Amino acid sequence: MTLPTHARIVVIGGGIIGCSTAYHLARDHKAEVVLLEQGKITSGSTWHAAGLVGQLRASASITRVLKYSVDLYKGLAAETGLDTGWKMTGCLRLATNADRWTEYRRLATTARSFGMEMHLVSPEEVKRMWPLMDTSDLVGASWLPTDGQASPSDITHSLAKGARMHGAQLHEGVTVTGFAMQGRRITAVHTDRGTIRCEKVVNCGGMWAREIGAMAGINVPLQPVKHQYIVTERIEGLSPDAPTLRDPDRRTYFKEEVGGLVMGGYEPNPQGWVQGEIPKDWEFRLFDDDYDHFAQHLEQAIARVPALEKTGVKQMINGAESFTPDGNFILGPAPECANMYVGAGFNAFGIASGGGAGWVLAEWVMRDEAPLDLWVVDIRRFSGLHRDRQWVFDRTMEAYGKHYTIGFPHEEYESGRPRITSPLYRRLKDHRAVFGSKLGWERPNWFAPEGMEPRDLYSMGRQNWFGPVGQEHAHVRDKVGIFDQSSFAKYELSGPGAAEALEWICANRVARAPGRLTYSQLLNSRGGIEADLTVARLSQDRFYIVTGTGFRTHDLAWIADHLPATGCTLTDVTEDWGTLSLMGPMARRVLEKVTAADVSNAAFPFGHMREITIAGADVRALRVTYVGELGWELHTPLSHTAAVFDALMAAGGTDIRPVGYRALESLRLEKGYRAWSSDITPNDTPFEAGLGWAVKLKSDTRFLGRAALEAVQGRPLAKRLAGFTSDPGAVLVGRETILRNGEPVGYLTSGGYGYTVGASIGYGYLRNPAGVTEDWLASGSYALVVAGETLPASLVLKPLHDPEGSRIRA
């Protein structure tokens, strides 16, 4: 077939993700689509995938994506005439210890929150469902009846046929050699068989996605890893409808296939493949069998299914799969390029994800917005750090090794650390800081008192930092704490068009007088919250923007993508400025000792920014708080951060102490401040989140998302964010089910403990199609389901700790 010279959208890669994306672009959007595959359809990683299809994830949106895959696979054969091999066998996940059982109890609660069916079953019931299994070491298992398995090649060929049926062109044996670029835009795709002019490109290149992206200056941080499984001979007594089986404590998985078993696993010592260029001719190819490395899985599998000891092996599959540094796949618009989208790095979950990933990616490509909150898989969660191939390799190997480990709350990665440190790193270490890592930055999570080892001890209950964090929390409430928040992302927008541009992008009024500071959300066209940040006006045509550490790439890209072509310049200045947050009722007393500037409430009110001098440094002082106490963010030139810290510590004496992010989280929960990516997301509007006060609807100013908000303004809310307090012993981590009068009406988006109020605190959206009215809220009796246990809860609609009248504004 002759290659066309033009297409609206070019999809690169003929694995399950590329074929699914082409199918949905053609079926749902009637788009002019050309798919290019350098080998044959499925010839990269798809053809040798194990084919297990699970649905439950920690994110409601990703769970929805996976549920969509299952629904698609069920009906695809009827549309295309090609069978997908789909079998809804259900899935058993085994638990052999108390921590794993607690994890499953929490997962069962999550499933209920997300509207999925999941049961916890006894070892006796497991034995009945899977008679060939040794269950002597089991505590129990989780049972998801709607999970199953499918044939990766069959699904992909069915999707490919469906794409053709709806008008897409699929071309095999075509290698992409580069791109024609005009600024940040791709104008054409160069191949070994000609050039195709296009409007958008979707990079679904699997293992080659990194190299394809690099041709357009785009970083796709993934690493191919050798993943092995075996296919056994027939096993007497194995039912063809046997559930798929995951045995994470033994790091193995099983599924029935033609009377035998497919068995593989995730070892703690994985074998990464090349860090450089992947051979272009790696088509339907495998690595040599490596039984020495696989022996660790065989040993564990035989202990679980003793019949395997006397069962022959028909085939070993040792193939390359693309893995990522955090174990989540990669979707969305590349921040470096205005019209390339990526769908890659599926961590051996490509078959489970394929149908849904193609659906959301097609929507994203056509609308230039994600249809759901897809932050956990958004390519913009990465940064320049992820261009370091060795760092990506090391972190990906660690993530692979954690694939089946227990998911303890607040667990940190260890590889590649420390990578980025603030000038205070050594000082805080001397104060016995225990650090966490965010986008490469080392950040103090908590401080160990003398006599206590400064390291995290993970558990499913209260962890070892619970007491020390309570002391930090109390110190901020009573005196003053200093937080090193130098990792904050910081940008400057300057030029004659800067104010007008920000007024379009921001939902709140930010073009105030110089010296004013504004909290604002950035909204999508649906009125959902794509970001929240603070904007300080430095001068008539210059603004200083501050946002969270992990959102650096995302927020910068969102702003850049919505700026006019001329009239302003956006610059990332994160590494230019350190940030010290001085928070607590004694904050002004300390600040007055280190600066000649007038920091009284009259001269320096809340919501303002002043340039002051501390320890010889010109500091941008922002009067703002995230903890519910009087406070300032002090943005100082990075090289002066240590000197300013030393001056503040000396001025505060025994009244001041460094405080970490664990206490910050507890403090903000009591105040009721929202956290983006959990409490507020692209799925949620400011009205639903209780942030309507920060939206400029009373003005005539146009802004992105305004039309969507005006369409629902004044109507009853179908969902609304609310707070809850519950048993002080309850460990709330988010996704716990909210019950109203015994019926599920939502789930927690964030949770923790409030040391001032002496209760566990959670926030979550209550849902009622008829409207979440004041009467409906007041007439309900509430409870939370925590790891399967129902606990009474009190509804909270105002901040639990609110010193606003006397402290924040005084």
Side-chain angles (χ1 to χ4, degrees):
M1 187 188 298
T2 304
L3 212 61
T5 58
H6 177 271
R8 183 177 181 189
I9 301 165
V10 174
V11 177
I12 303 171
I16 190 168
I17 308 303
C19 289
S20 179
T21 302
Y23 168 81
H24 286 92
L25 284 168
R27 188 196 70 177
D28 298 344
H29 304 283
K30 313 306 177 192
E32 181 193 12
V33 182
V34 171
L35 182 146
L36 305 176
E37 163 56 45
Q38 66 179 352
K40 298 287 186 182
I41 297 297
T42 79
S43 64
S45 294
T46 298
W47 72 277
H48 62 69
L52 279 71
V53 179
Q55 300 167 80
L56 182 62
R57 296 292 185 275
S59 157
S61 290
I62 302 306
T63 298
R64 183 177 168 189
V65 167
L66 300 180
K67 288 172 71 175
Y68 177 95
S69 292
V70 167
D71 291 339
L72 178 67
Y73 300 161
K74 287 178 183 177
L76 192 61
E79 177 187 348
T80 67
L82 293 181
D83 191 24
T84 62
W86 166 252
K87 283 202 305 182
M88 195 173 78
T89 57
C91 179
L92 284 167
R93 288 176 171 85
L94 310 181
T96 66
N97 57 69
D99 281 338
R100 182 74 71 182
W101 190 238
T102 299
E103 181 180 46
Y104 287 0
R105 287 164 55 206
R106 288 182 177 169
L107 280 172
T109 301
T110 298
R112 181 179 186 182
S113 295
F114 295 171
M116 283 191 67
E117 185 180 358
M118 180 175 175
H119 308 281
L120 299 178
V121 297
S122 68
E124 293 74 23
E125 181 67 7
V126 172
K127 185 71 172 179
R128 187 192 65 77
M129 297 170 75
W130 234 93
L132 296 179
M133 188 196 314
D134 179 0
T135 59
S136 60
D137 62 340
L138 295 189
V139 177
S142 69
W143 166 239
L144 287 94
T146 59
D147 280 0
Q149 61 190 70
S151 166
S153 290
D154 289 346
I155 289 176
T156 306
H157 282 289
S158 190
L159 287 166
K161 183 177 180 181
R164 290 189 183 99
M165 288 168 59
H166 292 288
Q169 293 187 40
L170 280 65
H171 295 264
E172 297 176 306
V174 181
T175 299
V176 172
T177 58
F179 301 100
M181 307 283 295
Q182 186 174 330
R184 293 178 60 247
R185 297 192 70 83
I186 295 170
T187 57
V189 179
H190 298 309
T191 81
D192 59 353
R193 286 174 45 187
T195 295
I196 306 174
R197 290 178 291 109
C198 62
E199 298 174 19
K200 294 182 179 180
V201 174
V202 189
N203 177 2
C204 300
M207 294 184 291
W208 293 270
R210 183 180 64 83
E211 295 168 38
I212 293 166
M215 296 178 191
I218 291 159
N219 182 42
V220 184
L222 50 80
Q223 172 62 45
V225 181
K226 297 178 181 180
H227 183 75
Q228 296 186 91
Y229 65 85
I230 58 170
V231 183
T232 76
E233 302 285 357
R234 292 183 64 85
I235 300 176
E236 191 67 32
L238 179 63
S239 169
D241 297 321
T244 60
L245 187 65
R246 288 179 171 88
D247 190 3
D249 294 326
R250 293 184 181 273
R251 302 190 297 273
T252 52
Y253 60 80
F254 305 80
K255 76 162 186 173
E256 187 277 339
E257 185 167 295
V258 198
L261 282 175
V262 167
M263 186 281 289
Y266 292 86
E267 62 274 19
N269 57 333
Q271 296 177 312
W273 193 27
V274 294
Q275 290 179 248
E277 190 171 316
I278 298 168
K280 293 287 188 291
D281 62 350
W282 197 264
E283 182 180 348
F284 295 117
R285 287 176 62 181
L286 298 170
F287 304 108
D288 292 338
D289 296 350
D290 188 350
Y291 278 96
D292 287 343
H293 191 72
F294 195 70
Q296 57 190 307
H297 295 315
L298 275 175
E299 179 184 350
Q300 296 294 332
I302 290 169
R304 179 63 65 210
V305 185
L308 284 173
E309 188 169 17
K310 297 179 181 179
T311 302
V313 174
K314 286 200 298 189
Q315 185 182 15
M316 169 173 274
I317 303 292
N318 187 1
E321 297 268 7
S322 293
F323 285 79
T324 64
D326 62 3
N328 288 321
F329 49 87
I330 299 173
L331 289 181
E336 306 94 334
C337 178
N339 61 340
M340 179 183 272
Y341 288 76
V342 179
F346 280 82
N347 304 281
F349 279 122
I351 309 308
S353 313
W359 159 56
V360 294
L361 193 51
E363 293 285 327
W364 212 334
V365 169
M366 296 304 296
R367 306 183 193 284
D368 289 320
E369 284 183 3
L372 305 170
D373 169 27
L374 297 172
W375 168 242
V376 295
V377 297
D378 194 320
I379 191 172
R380 295 168 296 182
R381 70 188 187 272
F382 301 118
S383 70
L385 160 70
H386 295 88
R387 290 184 177 273
D388 183 333
R389 295 295 305 143
Q390 188 61 51
W391 192 94
V392 168
F393 180 90
D394 293 342
R395 180 57 60 87
T396 303
M397 294 305 101
E398 183 183 5
Y400 182 104
K402 287 179 178 287
H403 192 91
Y404 274 162
T405 58
I406 294 169
F408 290 111
H410 314 293
E411 187 172 2
E412 297 276 352
Y413 283 101
E414 297 178 0
S415 60
R417 298 178 56 190
R419 175 62 185 228
I420 307 170
T421 59
S422 90
L424 303 183
Y425 180 72
R426 179 47 55 188
R427 284 171 170 78
L428 297 177
K429 212 165 181 59
D430 290 343
H431 280 279
R432 303 177 59 76
V434 181
F435 290 90
S437 178
K438 194 67 159 292
L439 214 62
W441 283 85
E442 292 292 315
R443 313 190 314 169
N445 279 337
W446 60 285
F447 292 82
E450 291 292 338
M452 181 180 187
E453 186 179 5
R455 72 182 184 98
D456 288 315
L457 297 177
Y458 300 119
S459 75
M460 283 297 184
R462 296 287 184 213
Q463 297 184 1
N464 64 323
W465 47 261
F466 183 76
V469 166
Q471 297 172 12
E472 296 174 34
H473 176 116
H475 195 94
V476 175
R477 286 280 183 252
D478 296 337
K479 296 182 179 180
V480 60
I482 188 166
F483 302 81
D484 180 11
Q485 297 187 288
S486 299
S487 63
F488 273 166
K490 314 163 198 83
Y491 326 121
E492 287 193 13
L493 186 69
S494 58
E500 184 179 358
L502 277 177
E503 283 295 292
W504 163 249
I505 295 168
C506 295
N508 204 349
R509 181 172 166 244
V510 296
R512 303 173 188 268
R516 288 297 305 274
L517 173 71
T518 306
Y519 165 80
S520 181
Q521 299 111 43
L522 313 185
L523 306 182
N524 56 38
S525 64
R526 307 188 308 277
I529 302 170
E530 287 286 344
D532 75 328
L533 37 73
T534 55
V535 181
R537 193 169 196 174
L538 301 176
S539 62
Q540 200 65 25
D541 60 358
R542 192 169 168 223
F543 294 82
Y544 184 57
I545 303 167
V546 183
T547 190
T549 304
F551 315 135
R552 177 179 181 175
T553 304
H554 173 275
D555 292 4
L556 184 72
W558 181 268
I559 295 169
D561 286 346
H562 294 87
L563 288 176
T566 59
C568 50
T569 301
L570 181 64
T571 308
D572 187 330
V573 295
T574 298
E575 275 77 28
D576 294 347
W577 297 90
T579 304
L580 299 174
S581 291
L582 188 70
M583 302 285 166
M586 296 184 178
R588 179 176 287 113
R589 190 181 309 173
V590 172
L591 195 56
E592 286 173 335
K593 293 181 179 179
V594 297
T595 183
D598 186 349
V599 295
S600 66
N601 191 57
F604 199 156
F606 186 81
H608 284 69
M609 175 242 160
R610 300 281 186 267
E611 293 190 350
I612 66 176
T613 301
I614 302 175
D618 295 329
V619 174
R620 293 175 177 175
L622 280 58
R623 178 83 189 275
V624 66
T625 180
Y626 193 55
V627 304
E629 300 290 347
L630 173 68
W632 282 265
E633 283 178 16
L634 304 172
H635 294 250
T636 178
L638 196 66
S639 60
H640 289 77
T641 307
V644 172
F645 175 83
D646 291 344
L648 292 167
M649 290 294 290
T654 58
D655 291 330
I656 195 170
R657 64 171 290 177
V659 180
Y661 274 82
R662 296 262 188 270
L664 185 74
E665 174 68 3
S666 171
L667 292 158
R668 78 95 186 167
L669 286 170
E670 289 187 337
K671 177 60 181 172
Y673 287 129
R674 281 69 165 141
W676 192 83
S677 80
S678 54
D679 305 318
I680 50 176
T681 76
N683 290 347
D684 313 309
T685 70
F687 298 153
E688 294 164 342
L691 297 172
W693 57 267
V695 178
K696 57 192 174 197
L697 281 177
K698 291 182 179 179
S699 75
D700 295 328
T701 306
R702 291 175 61 250
F703 63 88
L704 182 59
R706 177 169 188 141
L709 295 187
E710 287 178 332
V712 298
Q713 189 177 21
R715 295 182 185 176
L717 295 171
K719 71 173 188 177
R720 175 176 172 181
L721 189 71
F724 297 89
T725 57
S726 190
D727 187 329
V731 179
L732 304 182
V733 295
R735 300 177 299 280
E736 292 85 0
T737 307
I738 303 168
L739 303 179
R740 177 184 178 275
N741 298 337
E743 296 296 321
V745 291
Y747 56 89
L748 297 187
T749 51
S750 63
Y753 186 77
Y755 294 89
T756 304
V757 299
S760 295
I761 302 172
Y763 290 89
Y765 287 90
L766 297 171
R767 291 167 168 81
N768 180 30
V772 183
T773 63
E774 297 295 331
D775 288 345
W776 185 85
L777 288 168
S779 62
S781 175
Y782 296 93
L784 300 175
V785 182
V786 183
E789 184 180 358
T790 300
L791 302 176
S794 298
L795 179 71
V796 179
L797 298 177
K798 294 182 178 179
L800 288 158
H801 178 79
D802 191 15
E804 194 161 306
S806 59
R807 291 182 180 175
I808 292 180
R809 302 186 185 279

